[in-house]
Coordinates of all heavy atoms in Angstrom, one line a residue:
V10 N 2.1 7.5 4.0 CA 3.1 8.5 4.4 C 3.9 8.0 5.6 O 3.4 7.3 6.5 CB 2.4 9.8 4.9 CG1 3.3 10.8 5.5 CG2 1.5 10.4 3.8
Y12 N 7.7 8.7 8.1 CA 8.9 9.4 8.5 C 9.9 8.4 9.1 O 9.5 7.6 9.9 CB 8.7 10.7 9.4 CG 7.9 10.4 10.6 CD1 8.5 10.2 11.8 CD2 6.5 10.5 10.6 CE1 7.7 10.0 13.0 CE2 5.7 10.3 11.7 CZ 6.3 10.0 12.9 OH 5.6 9.8 14.0
E14 N 12.9 9.4 10.5 CA 13.6 10.1 11.6 C 12.6 11.1 12.1 O 11.8 11.7 11.4 CB 14.9 10.8 11.1 CG 15.9 9.8 10.5 CD 17.1 10.6 10.1 OE1 17.5 11.6 10.8 OE2 17.6 10.4 9.0
F15 N 12.8 11.5 13.4 CA 12.1 12.6 14.0 C 12.6 13.9 13.4 O 13.8 14.0 13.1 CB 12.2 12.6 15.5 CG 11.6 11.4 16.2 CD1 12.4 10.6 16.9 CD2 10.2 11.2 16.1 CE1 11.8 9.5 17.6 CE2 9.6 10.1 16.7 CZ 10.4 9.3 17.5
G16 N 11.7 14.9 13.2 CA 12.1 16.1 12.7 C 11.0 16.9 12.1 O 9.8 16.7 12.4
G17 N 11.3 17.8 11.1 CA 10.4 18.7 10.5 C 9.5 18.0 9.4 O 9.7 16.8 9.2
V18 N 8.7 18.8 8.8 CA 7.8 18.3 7.7 C 8.6 17.7 6.6 O 8.1 16.8 5.8 CB 6.8 19.3 7.2 CG1 5.9 19.8 8.3 CG2 7.6 20.5 6.6
M20 N 10.7 15.5 6.7 CA 10.9 14.1 7.0 C 9.8 13.2 6.4 O 9.9 12.0 6.3 CB 11.0 13.8 8.5 CG 12.2 14.5 9.1 SD 13.7 13.9 8.5 CE 14.9 15.0 9.3
L21 N 8.7 13.8 6.0 CA 7.5 13.1 5.5 C 7.7 12.7 4.1 O 8.0 13.5 3.2 CB 6.2 13.9 5.7 CG 5.9 14.3 7.1 CD1 4.8 15.4 7.1 CD2 5.4 13.1 7.9
A43 N -8.1 11.0 6.1 CA -7.5 10.9 7.4 C -7.4 12.3 8.0 O -7.1 13.2 7.3 CB -6.1 10.2 7.4
G44 N -7.6 12.4 9.3 CA -7.5 13.7 10.0 C -6.0 14.0 10.3 O -5.2 13.1 10.4
V45 N -5.7 15.3 10.4 CA -4.4 15.7 10.9 C -4.7 16.5 12.2 O -5.4 17.4 12.2 CB -3.8 16.7 9.8 CG1 -2.4 17.2 10.4 CG2 -3.5 15.9 8.5
N46 N -4.0 16.0 13.2 CA -4.2 16.5 14.6 C -2.9 17.0 15.2 O -1.8 16.6 14.7 CB -4.8 15.4 15.5 CG -6.1 14.9 15.0 OD1 -7.1 15.5 15.1 ND2 -6.1 13.7 14.4
P47 N -3.0 17.9 16.2 CA -1.7 18.4 16.8 C -0.8 17.3 17.3 O 0.4 17.4 17.2 CB -2.2 19.3 17.9 CG -3.6 19.8 17.5 CD -4.2 18.6 16.7
I48 N -1.4 16.2 17.8 CA -0.6 15.1 18.3 C 0.3 14.5 17.2 O 1.4 14.0 17.4 CB -1.5 14.0 18.9 CG1 -0.7 13.0 19.6 CG2 -2.4 13.3 17.8 CD1 -0.1 13.4 20.9
D49 N -0.2 14.6 15.9 CA 0.6 14.0 14.8 C 1.9 14.7 14.6 O 2.9 14.0 14.5 CB -0.2 14.1 13.5 CG -1.6 13.3 13.6 OD1 -1.7 12.4 14.4 OD2 -2.5 13.7 12.8
W50 N 1.9 16.0 14.5 CA 3.1 16.7 14.3 C 4.0 16.8 15.5 O 5.2 16.8 15.4 CB 2.9 18.1 13.7 CG 2.2 19.1 14.5 CD1 0.9 19.5 14.3 CD2 2.7 20.0 15.5 NE1 0.5 20.4 15.2 CE2 1.6 20.8 15.9 CE3 4.0 20.1 16.1 CZ2 1.8 21.7 16.9 CZ3 4.1 21.1 17.1 CH2 3.0 21.9 17.5
K51 N 3.4 16.7 16.7 CA 4.2 16.7 17.9 C 4.9 15.4 18.1 O 6.1 15.4 18.5 CB 3.3 16.9 19.1 CG 2.7 18.4 19.2 CD 1.8 18.5 20.4 CE 1.2 19.9 20.4 NZ 0.2 20.1 21.5
V52 N 4.3 14.3 17.7 CA 5.0 13.0 17.7 C 6.0 13.0 16.6 O 7.2 12.5 16.9 CB 4.0 11.8 17.5 CG1 4.7 10.5 17.3 CG2 3.1 11.7 18.7
R53 N 5.7 13.4 15.4 CA 6.7 13.4 14.3 C 7.9 14.2 14.6 O 9.0 13.9 14.2 CB 6.0 13.9 13.1 CG 6.8 13.9 11.8 CD 6.6 15.1 10.9 NE 7.1 16.3 11.5 CZ 6.4 17.4 11.6 NH1 5.1 17.5 11.2 NH2 6.9 18.5 12.1
S54 N 7.7 15.3 15.3 CA 8.9 16.2 15.6 C 9.8 15.6 16.6 O 11.0 16.0 16.7 CB 8.4 17.5 16.2 OG 7.9 17.4 17.5
G55 N 9.4 14.6 17.4 CA 10.2 14.0 18.4 C 10.0 14.7 19.8 O 10.5 14.2 20.8
A56 N 9.1 15.7 19.9 CA 8.9 16.4 21.1 C 8.2 15.5 22.2 O 8.4 15.7 23.4 CB 8.0 17.6 20.9
L57 N 7.5 14.4 21.8 CA 6.8 13.6 22.7 C 7.5 12.2 22.8 O 6.8 11.2 23.3 CB 5.4 13.4 22.3 CG 4.6 14.7 22.3 CD1 3.1 14.4 21.9 CD2 4.6 15.4 23.6
R58 N 8.7 12.0 22.4 CA 9.3 10.7 22.3 C 9.4 10.0 23.7 O 9.4 8.8 23.8 CB 10.6 10.7 21.6 CG 11.8 11.4 22.4 CD 13.1 11.4 21.6 NE 13.0 12.4 20.5 CZ 14.0 12.6 19.6 NH1 15.0 11.8 19.6 NH2 13.9 13.5 18.7
L61 N 5.3 9.4 24.4 CA 4.6 8.5 23.5 C 5.7 8.0 22.5 O 5.8 8.4 21.4 CB 3.5 9.3 22.7 CG 2.3 9.8 23.5 CD1 1.4 10.7 22.6 CD2 1.5 8.6 24.0
V63 N 7.4 5.9 19.7 CA 6.9 5.2 18.5 C 8.1 4.6 17.8 O 9.2 5.0 17.9 CB 6.2 6.1 17.5 CG1 5.0 6.8 18.2 CG2 7.1 7.2 17.0
L65 N 10.2 3.7 14.6 CA 10.5 4.3 13.3 C 10.8 3.2 12.3 O 11.5 2.2 12.7 CB 11.6 5.3 13.4 CG 11.3 6.5 14.3 CD1 12.5 7.4 14.4 CD2 10.0 7.3 13.8
A67 N 7.6 5.5 11.0 CA 6.2 5.5 11.5 C 5.3 6.2 10.4 O 5.7 7.1 9.7 CB 6.2 6.3 12.8
V68 N 4.1 5.8 10.4 CA 3.0 6.4 9.6 C 2.2 7.4 10.5 O 1.6 6.9 11.5 CB 2.1 5.3 9.0 CG1 0.9 6.0 8.2 CG2 2.9 4.4 8.1
P69 N 2.2 8.7 10.2 CA 1.5 9.6 11.1 C 0.0 9.4 11.0 O -0.6 8.9 10.0 CB 1.9 11.0 10.6 CG 2.2 10.7 9.1 CD 2.8 9.4 9.0
G70 N -0.7 9.9 12.0 CA -2.2 9.9 12.0 C -2.9 8.9 12.8 O -2.4 7.8 13.1
R71 N -4.0 9.3 13.4 CA -4.8 8.5 14.3 C -6.2 8.2 13.9 O -6.8 7.2 14.3 CB -4.7 9.1 15.7 CG -5.3 8.3 16.8 CD -5.0 8.8 18.2 NE -5.8 8.1 19.2 CZ -5.8 8.4 20.5 NH1 -5.0 9.4 20.9 NH2 -6.5 7.8 21.3
D72 N -6.8 9.1 13.2 CA -8.3 9.0 12.9 C -8.5 9.0 11.4 O -7.9 9.8 10.6 CB -9.1 10.0 13.6 CG -8.8 11.4 13.5 OD1 -7.7 11.7 12.8 OD2 -9.5 12.3 14.0
V73 N -9.5 8.1 10.9 CA -9.8 8.0 9.5 C -11.3 7.7 9.3 O -12.0 7.4 10.2 CB -9.0 6.8 8.9 CG1 -7.5 7.0 9.1 CG2 -9.5 5.5 9.4
L96 N -10.7 5.3 15.2 CA -9.3 5.6 15.7 C -8.5 4.3 15.8 O -9.0 3.2 16.1 CB -9.4 6.2 17.1 CG -10.2 7.4 17.3 CD1 -10.6 7.7 18.8 CD2 -9.4 8.6 16.7
G97 N -7.2 4.5 15.4 CA -6.2 3.4 15.6 C -5.3 3.8 16.7 O -5.6 4.4 17.7
G98 N -4.0 3.5 16.5 CA -3.0 3.8 17.5 C -2.5 5.3 17.3 O -3.1 6.1 16.6
V99 N -1.5 5.6 18.0 CA -0.9 7.0 17.9 C -0.5 7.3 16.5 O -0.5 8.4 16.1 CB 0.2 7.1 18.9 CG1 0.9 8.5 18.8 CG2 -0.3 7.0 20.4
T100 N -0.1 6.2 15.8 CA 0.3 6.3 14.4 C -0.4 5.3 13.6 O -1.1 4.4 14.1 CB 1.9 6.1 14.3 OG1 2.2 4.8 14.7 CG2 2.7 7.1 15.0
G101 N -0.3 5.5 12.2 CA -0.8 4.4 11.3 C -1.9 4.8 10.4 O -2.4 4.0 9.6
A102 N -2.5 6.0 10.5 CA -3.7 6.4 9.8 C -3.5 6.9 8.4 O -4.4 6.7 7.5 CB -4.5 7.3 10.6
T103 N -2.4 7.7 8.1 CA -2.3 8.4 6.8 C -1.8 7.4 5.8 O -0.6 7.5 5.4 CB -1.4 9.6 7.0 OG1 -1.8 10.3 8.2 CG2 -1.7 10.6 5.8
A125 N -13.7 12.0 8.6 CA -12.3 11.8 8.9 C -11.9 12.8 10.0 O -11.0 12.5 10.8 CB -11.5 12.1 7.7
G126 N -12.5 13.9 10.1 CA -12.2 14.9 11.1 C -12.9 14.7 12.4 O -12.7 15.5 13.3
L129 N -11.0 11.8 16.5 CA -10.2 12.2 17.7 C -10.9 13.5 18.3 O -10.9 13.6 19.5 CB -8.8 12.5 17.2 CG -7.8 12.7 18.4 CD1 -7.8 11.5 19.3 CD2 -6.4 13.0 17.9
A130 N -11.4 14.4 17.5 CA -12.0 15.6 18.0 C -13.2 15.3 18.9 O -13.3 15.9 20.0 CB -12.3 16.6 16.9
I288 N 1.2 16.0 2.0 CA 1.1 15.8 3.5 C 2.0 16.8 4.2 O 1.6 17.3 5.3 CB 1.5 14.4 3.8 CG1 1.4 14.1 5.3 CG2 2.9 14.0 3.3 CD1 0.0 14.2 5.9
A291 N 0.1 19.9 4.8 CA -1.0 19.7 5.8 C -0.4 19.8 7.2 O -0.9 20.5 8.1 CB -1.6 18.4 5.5
H292 N 0.8 19.1 7.4 CA 1.4 19.2 8.7 C 1.9 20.6 9.0 O 1.7 21.1 10.2 CB 2.6 18.2 8.8 CG 2.2 16.9 9.3 ND1 2.8 16.2 10.3 CD2 1.2 16.0 8.9 CE1 2.3 15.0 10.5 NE2 1.2 14.9 9.6
A293 N 2.4 21.3 8.0 CA 2.9 22.7 8.3 C 1.7 23.6 8.6 O 1.9 24.4 9.5 CB 3.6 23.2 7.0
A295 N -1.0 22.6 10.1 CA -1.4 22.3 11.5 C -0.5 22.9 12.5 O -0.9 23.4 13.6 CB -1.5 20.8 11.6
E296 N 0.8 22.9 12.2 CA 1.8 23.4 13.2 C 1.6 24.9 13.4 O 1.9 25.4 14.5 CB 3.2 23.1 12.7 CG 3.6 21.7 12.9 CD 5.1 21.5 12.7 OE1 5.9 22.1 13.4 OE2 5.5 20.7 11.8
K303 N -11.0 21.4 11.4 CA -10.0 20.3 11.2 C -9.3 20.4 9.8 O -9.8 21.0 8.9 CB -10.7 19.0 11.3 CG -11.1 18.6 12.7 CD -9.9 18.4 13.6 CE -9.0 17.3 13.2 NZ -9.6 15.9 13.4
I304 N -8.1 19.9 9.8 CA -7.3 19.7 8.5 C -7.4 18.2 8.2 O -7.2 17.3 9.1 CB -5.9 20.1 8.7 CG1 -5.8 21.6 9.0 CG2 -5.1 19.8 7.5 CD1 -4.5 22.1 9.5
V305 N -7.7 17.9 6.9 CA -7.9 16.5 6.5 C -7.1 16.2 5.3 O -6.9 17.0 4.4 CB -9.4 16.3 6.2 CG1 -9.7 14.9 5.6 CG2 -10.2 16.4 7.5
V306 N -6.6 15.0 5.2 CA -5.8 14.5 4.0 C -6.7 13.5 3.3 O -7.2 12.5 3.9 CB -4.5 13.8 4.5 CG1 -3.8 13.2 3.3 CG2 -3.6 14.9 5.0

Side-chain angles (χ1 to χ4, degrees):
V10 175
Y12 50 95
E14 299 177 43
F15 295 118
V18 297
M20 297 296 173
L21 296 167
V45 176
N46 300 286
I48 191 70
D49 301 337
W50 62 260
K51 291 176 182 178
V52 170
R53 184 215 70 229
S54 72
L57 300 180
R58 70 181 75 185
L61 294 173
V63 300
L65 298 177
V68 176
R71 186 170 171 184
D72 53 354
V73 304
L96 300 164
V99 174
T100 59
T103 316
L129 192 58
I288 183 65
H292 270 229
E296 284 192 59
K303 289 297 296 288
I304 298 167
V305 170
V306 171

